[in-house]
Amino acid sequence: MGLRERKKQRMYETVSETAIRLFVEKGFDAVSVAEVAAAAEISKPTLFRYFPAKEDLVLYRIADHEDEAARIVREGPSPVEALRRHFLDGIERCDPITGLNDHPAVLAFHTLVYGTPALVARMYAYLERSEAALAEALGAGLDARLAAGQIVAVQRILAQENWRRISAGEPVAEVKRDAVAAAERAFGLLEAGLPPSVGRVSEREAE
């Protein structure tokens, strides 16, 4: 990454983190884009060049996960097995994307996202793009789109269940045990239910 790209990335990160801090402190709807721009010491037009919508200021934090599933499916003997391994590894590391993390900043971020209707709506647009990328990696076509929808939904529901329990005060260690079992069961059901045409991406690519 060149100097220009690094500066641009730092700008994204700085503005996004500034916005999230303000939104957590005051509420998403109570903070204007102009206030975020002022706090980040940039103009409002400059902010909109980086973030077309107010919601993007928040979801930038997870933007690098958007095409993650599409990348992961090529790393295992089958798409579901690769994703299962990746999700379980995330649970082991208490990766915030799995919902299994009790750091106050992580809990505040998840509460902000799930507690703000505009962000929930924007999150679904993000999930649709993730689903489309995964469907393309699975070979496109209706079967691939159906499989991608199921996979993305399973990951989302597992993560939300982990976050729900931890935000309710349950210890991470206790939730973690159940999260591993739930993920194993969910991905096992996926593996059994996916159509053969999307079952083994890596084998098709090797031909």
Side-chain angles (χ1 to χ4, degrees), residues 133-156:
L134 177 57
E136 185 67 25
L138 292 172
L142 179 59
D143 281 355
R145 294 198 300 275
L146 290 170
Q150 293 176 65
I151 291 167
V152 169
V154 162
Q155 292 179 320
R156 173 181 59 82

Side-chain angles (χ1 to χ4, degrees), residues 5-21:
E5 288 75 18
R6 289 199 301 272
K7 287 183 176 180
K8 188 174 182 180
Q9 183 175 350
R10 283 198 298 270
M11 176 66 81
Y12 274 111
E13 292 170 353
T14 298
V15 176
S16 175
E17 291 306 314
T18 298
I20 290 170
R21 174 177 55 79

Side-chain angles (χ1 to χ4, degrees), residues 85-103:
R85 292 175 184 175
H86 183 71
F87 196 86
L88 288 173
D89 180 63
I91 289 175
E92 181 61 31
R93 293 182 288 104
C94 292
D95 188 330
I97 203 70
T98 67
L100 194 72
N101 190 297
D102 63 353
H103 190 285

Side-chain angles (χ1 to χ4, degrees), residues 26-183:
K26 303 179 180 182
F28 182 80
D29 294 327
V31 179
S32 68
V33 172
E35 187 176 349
V36 174
E41 300 183 338
I42 60 174
S43 68
K44 188 175 175 180
T46 297
L47 184 148
F48 277 123
R49 283 203 297 271
Y50 285 88
F51 299 95
K54 184 180 179 182
E55 294 80 7
D56 295 334
L57 288 160
V58 177
L59 297 184
Y60 174 77
R61 181 179 282 185
I62 61 171
D64 59 336
H65 290 282
E66 188 172 299
D67 62 349
E68 185 173 70
R71 297 195 309 268
I72 295 302
V73 296
R74 298 182 176 91
E75 297 179 3
S78 75
V80 173
E81 176 59 18
L83 291 165
R84 182 189 71 83
R85 292 175 184 175
H86 183 71
F87 196 86
L88 288 173
D89 180 63
I91 289 175
E92 181 61 31
R93 293 182 288 104
C94 292
D95 188 330
I97 203 70
T98 67
L100 194 72
N101 190 297
D102 63 353
H103 190 285
V106 173
L107 290 176
F109 176 78
H110 285 154
T111 299
L112 171 66
V113 171
Y114 294 130
T116 307
L119 291 173
V120 171
R122 195 71 169 185
M123 174 70 81
Y124 275 98
Y126 158 89
L127 291 173
E128 286 179 351
R129 293 192 298 272
S130 179
E131 186 180 305
L134 177 57
E136 185 67 25
L138 292 172
L142 179 59
D143 281 355
R145 294 198 300 275
L146 290 170
Q150 293 176 65
I151 291 167
V152 169
V154 162
Q155 292 179 320
R156 173 181 59 82
I157 292 168
L158 290 173
Q160 285 184 333
E161 176 64 10
N162 294 338
W163 168 77
R164 183 193 64 78
R165 292 181 59 184
I166 289 174
S167 66
E170 294 188 50
V172 169
E174 181 177 319
V175 178
K176 187 175 183 178
R177 289 193 297 270
D178 292 341
V180 170

